[in-house]
Amino acid sequence: MRYFFVLLLPCLLIAGTSDAFFKKHKHRGEPKTEVELMNSVVDCLSRKDTVGYYYLFPPFDTLWHMVMHNSDHSPEAEKQLAYLKEHPQSLIDFDPFYNHNIINRFSTLLAKGEDSGIHWNSIVIQRYELQRESLSQNLAGYDKISPEQFKGYLFVRDLLGRQTFCITITEIQKIEGSFFGGQVINILAATSIDQFLASEAKERKYFEWLATHPIVDTVNTDSLKKANTDQLNANSDDDNSKIRKEVIDRKYYEGKFDEEIPVKLYVRYMKDQRTGKLFSYDGLYKFGDQKNFVKLEINHSADGKWTMDDDPPVGSLELILKDKIYTGSWTNNDNGTGYDVLLKQTDISEKKVEELDNILDRGLSGSVNEASLPEKEKTQEQIRQEKEKKMNEDRGNDNN
């Protein structure tokens, strides 16, 4: 009898876990349609909600319980389910508790999206296109648990950046009338499946080339050198550059000069429409009591330094960008007065983006001369040096 309870206990635990899981999902509102599941995935992405995404997937205990206690007892079903009983690893791969790649891919996709300029908190679902996903050989019989599986393409719109991105998604499962899963695999800026596939093919070739040609700081060095070369070529013909340039990203920052003077900075990234390569930047900034934003001439060197000059030239910003924060200095070109700079990337409304774009595109920017920076407070050493200089001048006059 003692051995009977020892064998019974794991079964009760499995059954209990299964019931608890479905009760928990019912309490959380499990998706009943693929539309609801797609909305749930997008919601998790927009909030970077790893926990919420975790609970979109069925746990191994639940799936194993359904295999062991399947209601279909036909000889064909028994034969197919026998394969799953012999290969439980196939079911484990659906559970993020055991298959850490599910959450790792989610986190990687979030990071890649940010590197591509997406603002996750401003995305909305645009559309999706799904197709039936065929079962692999090691999942023979799984259609007795999940009669429908899908994969496809999920398109989201970044309202702030005004770009459309395509996300590949797989392992969408219908289990007992509800939808589960939805592994996100890759993300690229694309408005159609054909455009996504073309970009993905280029990306794949690049990584294949990179695997055999390791380069230190490829993104920060080679691509920036190429960008600067393209910029020089583009500037050789202003009319043509205006025709072919396209804004692909926008960043907005707020901070202070010397922890005192409020500053706002707006930066745009441009690409050549013919080549698709990043080749120039422009932007605006405003500090102190200025009424209007001032246009900036912006360059990004291969060593990662950002140089931003007023237009017309009054001062110059020399900055380093790391973790969405600009640090560096602003220097007055006339008297050499310097200010420490710290600017943090901040969200901005779509209306404000349109306003700033309008200033740049229509040449409505102001001038730094419209307002002056407050004089920097002199240090004790500067005061001492000035007094000493004056005393020396007075002695010279007395001797004369």
Side-chain angles (χ1 to χ4, degrees):
M1 180 64 71
R2 181 178 59 185
Y3 297 109
F4 172 77
F5 283 112
V6 170
L7 293 172
L8 180 62
L9 181 59
C11 296
L12 292 174
L13 289 174
I14 291 173
T17 304
S18 174
D19 292 341
F21 172 78
F22 279 109
K23 286 178 181 178
K24 177 161 47 177
H25 271 261
K26 290 181 184 297
H27 177 71
R28 293 169 64 92
E30 60 191 37
K32 291 295 183 181
T33 66
E34 70 272 16
V35 177
E36 292 180 8
L37 180 61
M38 292 296 98
N39 283 325
S40 296
V41 171
V42 171
D43 182 59
C44 291
L45 288 169
S46 66
R47 293 187 293 109
K48 299 181 181 179
D49 183 6
T50 306
V51 175
Y53 184 70
Y54 177 97
Y55 281 111
L56 293 178
F57 295 83
F60 167 75
D61 291 344
T62 299
L63 299 177
W64 184 248
H65 178 81
M66 296 177 73
V67 169
M68 299 299 293
H69 303 278
N70 198 278
S71 58
D72 189 345
H73 298 291
S74 65
E76 181 182 356
E78 291 286 355
K79 180 180 178 180
Q80 292 178 341
L81 291 170
Y83 183 87
L84 290 178
K85 293 175 182 178
E86 295 173 3
H87 301 83
Q89 178 64 38
S90 302
L91 304 178
I92 287 178
D93 288 342
F94 291 128
D95 187 346
F97 181 81
Y98 298 101
N99 184 1
H100 298 162
N101 288 331
I102 295 175
I103 300 301
N104 288 342
R105 289 192 187 106
F106 181 79
S107 300
T108 299
L109 187 125
L110 286 173
K112 183 180 180 182
E114 288 187 345
D115 290 342
S116 301
I118 197 170
H119 304 84
W120 286 115
N121 60 350
S122 70
I123 65 168
V124 294
I125 187 169
Q126 197 171 56
R127 71 182 190 280
Y128 63 87
E129 298 181 33
L130 301 180
Q131 61 188 44
R132 284 291 187 96
E133 187 169 20
S134 301
L135 291 173
S136 59
Q137 182 61 37
N138 66 339
L139 282 172
Y142 189 68
D143 57 345
K144 301 301 178 183
I145 309 302
S146 173
E148 299 177 54
Q149 299 90 31
F150 302 91
K151 65 179 180 179
Y153 304 87
L154 172 63
F155 292 88
V156 296
R157 179 70 174 174
D158 178 1
L159 297 179
L160 185 58
R162 294 190 288 184
Q163 274 189 288
T164 297
F165 290 83
C166 178
I167 300 170
T168 45
I169 189 166
T170 187
E171 290 185 4
I172 299 167
Q173 306 180 42
K174 186 176 183 181
I175 302 174
E176 293 189 350
S178 297
F179 282 80
F180 299 91
Q183 282 202 53
V184 289
I185 305 299
N186 196 10
I187 180 171
L188 292 168
T191 57
S192 67
I193 294 178
D194 288 341
Q195 186 179 6
F196 174 87
L197 293 175
S199 298
E200 190 178 47
K202 291 179 181 178
E203 183 182 58
R204 190 181 303 112
K205 288 182 180 178
Y206 170 73
F207 285 126
E208 290 174 354
W209 176 87
L210 192 61
T212 57
H213 298 77
I215 299 176
V216 178
D217 285 336
T218 302
V219 174
N220 292 331
T221 304
D222 290 351
S223 64
L224 290 175
K225 287 180 179 177
K226 176 62 176 174
N228 289 336
T229 300
D230 289 342
Q231 182 176 359
L232 292 173
N233 293 335
N235 290 337
S236 65
D237 188 342
D238 290 338
D239 292 334
N240 288 336
S241 67
K242 288 180 181 178
I243 294 173
R244 64 173 179 258
K245 77 177 183 179
E246 176 187 356
V247 179
I248 58 172
D249 200 6
R250 300 165 173 85
K251 307 286 187 183
Y252 179 73
Y253 303 83
E254 290 187 355
K256 291 184 178 181
F257 285 178
D258 277 0
E259 300 183 352
E260 179 183 357
I261 305 165
V263 184
K264 297 177 181 179
L265 172 67
Y266 182 63
V267 180
R268 298 197 307 184
Y269 296 64
M270 251 80 69
K271 74 173 182 180
D272 190 316
Q273 289 180 334
R274 296 176 304 176
T275 65
K277 300 294 185 180
L278 178 69
F279 74 93
S280 68
Y281 313 85
D282 66 4
L284 300 165
Y285 83 140
K286 180 168 68 172
F287 56 77
D289 58 356
Q290 280 185 294
K291 293 182 180 180
N292 300 316
F293 276 88
V294 177
K295 184 179 179 181
L296 291 169
E297 298 293 337
I298 301 176
N299 290 285
H300 189 194
S301 65
D303 61 0
K305 182 183 293 183
W306 292 79
T307 304
M308 307 181 185
D309 297 313
D310 304 325
D311 184 16
V314 174
S316 179
L317 285 160
E318 290 190 358
L319 306 172
I320 296 294
L321 180 61
K322 184 178 181 180
D323 297 330
K324 301 181 181 181
I325 299 176
Y326 274 120
T327 55
S329 63
W330 181 92
T331 304
N332 189 305
N333 295 336
D334 294 331
N335 57 31
T337 303
Y339 295 86
D340 293 330
V341 179
L342 192 151
L343 303 169
K344 296 182 180 180
Q345 185 174 329
T346 308
D347 291 336
I348 183 174
S349 67
E350 188 171 0
K351 181 179 180 181
K352 188 66 176 179
V353 168
E354 293 177 355
E355 176 187 334
L356 297 176
D357 279 349
N358 188 53
I359 292 173
L360 281 169
D361 296 336
R362 298 181 63 184
L364 301 177
S365 56
S367 169
V368 176
N369 293 326
E370 294 174 356
S372 59
L373 285 165
E375 288 292 330
K376 288 193 72 173
E377 185 176 344
K378 295 179 180 178
T379 65
Q380 291 298 319
E381 178 62 21
Q382 288 174 324
I383 294 173
R384 187 191 65 78
Q385 290 176 354
E386 288 180 1
K387 286 182 178 180
E388 184 177 336
K389 180 180 180 182
K390 189 174 186 306
M391 289 173 62
N392 291 333
E393 289 175 351
D394 291 343
R395 289 195 191 100
N397 293 333
D398 292 340
N399 293 332
N400 294 332

